C-alpha cells in the first residue's frame, strides 16, 4: 500500500523539484563541454527558453524529464493515480507548450533536439555526446534522443507526448 503523505510534506517535496540545472541537464552539459562544444544556457529570447543553445550550429537542445513532459513508452513516465485529472491536465499543458516552442523555433530556422531524461540514465556520456554531435553534423531539423537511441523525424517534426498521442508540427 502506498505511503500516505500529509499535505504539508507533499508540498515541501514538490517545492524542491527544480526546473533548471537538473541532474540530466548537468550530465548533458558536462559531456558537451568536455567534447569541446560551447553553448549558452536558457536563452530567454528564444521560444521555450531552451536548456542549451548552440549558436554556431543554430541548434537548441531541450533536456526533458520523462515524467514532467509525458514521455510515452518510458518506464519513468506513469500518470499518478492520485489526482489523475490534475496531473493529466498539467502534463498535457507541458506537452502543448513544448509543441508550440518547437514549432516557433523550427519556423525561425533553429534546429531542435530533445534529450529525454531516460537517455541520460542509460547511455554512457560518450554515446550520448556522439549522438548529439552526429545530429549536429546532419541536416535534420528535429530529433529526439531517448533510451532507445536517436529518432530523427524531420518530415513530420513530431514530438512524442502524453497519452500516446503524437503532437504534429
Amino acid at each position: 500500500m502506498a505511503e500516505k503523505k500529509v499535505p504539508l510534506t507533499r508540498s515541501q517535496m514538490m517545492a524542491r523539484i527544480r526546473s533548471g540545472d537538473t541532474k540530466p541537464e548537468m550530465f548533458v552539459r558536462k559531456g558537451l563541454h568536455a567534447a569541446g562544444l560551447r553553448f549558452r544556457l536558457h536563452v530567454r529570447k528564444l521560444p521555450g527558453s531552451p536548456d542549451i543553445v548552440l549558436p554556431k550550429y543554430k541548434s537548441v537542445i531541450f533536456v526533458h524529464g520523462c515524467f514532467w513532459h509525458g514521455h510515452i513508452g518510458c518506464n519513468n513516465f506513469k500518470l499518478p493515480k492520485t489526482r489523475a485529472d490534475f496531473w493529466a491536465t498539467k502534463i498535457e499543458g507541458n506537452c502543448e507548450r513544448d509543441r508550440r516552442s518547437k514549432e516557433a523555433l523550427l519556423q525561425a530556422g533553429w534546429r531542435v533536439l530533445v534529450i529525454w531524461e531516460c537517455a541520460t540514465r542509460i547511455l554512457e556520456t560518450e554515446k550520448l555526446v556522439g549522438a548529439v554531435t552526429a545530429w549536429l553534423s546532419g541536416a535534420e531539423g528535429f530529433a529526439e534522443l531517448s533510451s532507445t537511441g536517436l529518432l530523427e523525424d524531420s518530415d513530420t517534426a513530431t514530438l512524442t507526448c502524453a497519452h500516446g498521442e503524437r503532437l504534429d508540427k
Side-chain angles (χ1 to χ4, degrees):
M1 184 168 183
E3 180 182 333
K4 298 285 181 180
K5 299 285 183 188
V6 295
L8 183 61
T9 304
R10 173 72 63 195
S11 176
Q12 289 171 339
M13 288 172 29
M14 296 306 287
R16 290 187 177 149
I17 297 173
R18 302 180 324 189
S19 62
D21 297 335
T22 61
K23 283 184 182 180
E25 188 180 326
M26 295 301 291
F27 179 81
V28 172
R29 285 168 33 186
K30 285 179 184 178
L32 293 176
H33 193 270
L37 294 169
R38 298 300 177 250
F39 46 83
R40 301 282 176 249
L41 302 175
H42 311 289
V43 176
R44 301 239 182 255
K45 292 181 179 180
L46 292 175
S49 185
D51 298 315
I52 300 168
V53 178
L54 297 139
K56 177 179 178 179
Y57 300 95
K58 194 145 186 187
S59 301
V60 299
I61 299 174
F62 289 98
V63 182
H64 283 340
C66 295
F67 173 76
W68 294 106
H69 295 269
H71 189 200
I72 294 303
C74 179
N75 294 334
N76 298 326
F77 174 68
K78 181 179 167 191
L79 200 59
K81 293 179 183 173
T82 306
R83 297 180 64 203
D85 290 339
F86 165 80
W87 286 109
T89 303
K90 168 77 174 153
I91 292 169
E92 285 172 10
N94 290 348
C95 291
E96 178 60 25
R97 187 179 62 245
D98 294 342
R99 185 192 62 76
R100 285 193 315 265
S101 298
K102 180 193 65 161
E103 222 175 80
L105 286 163
L106 290 171
Q107 287 178 356
W110 288 87
R111 299 173 65 218
V112 180
L113 176 64
V114 173
I115 299 177
W116 291 98
E117 173 188 10
C118 57
T120 65
R121 291 181 179 198
I122 292 176
L123 298 176
E124 296 173 7
T125 305
E126 294 81 23
K127 288 185 180 183
L128 188 136
V129 171
V132 172
T133 55
W135 176 77
L136 287 172
S137 64
E140 298 294 330
F142 174 75
E144 292 181 48
L145 179 61
S146 69
S147 59
T148 58
L150 190 64
L151 168 68
E152 294 180 342
D153 198 355
S154 64
D155 294 336
T156 57
T158 59
L159 179 62
T160 305
C161 216
H163 307 306
E165 64 196 58
R166 303 243 336 152
L167 299 175
D168 292 328
K169 177 180 170 186

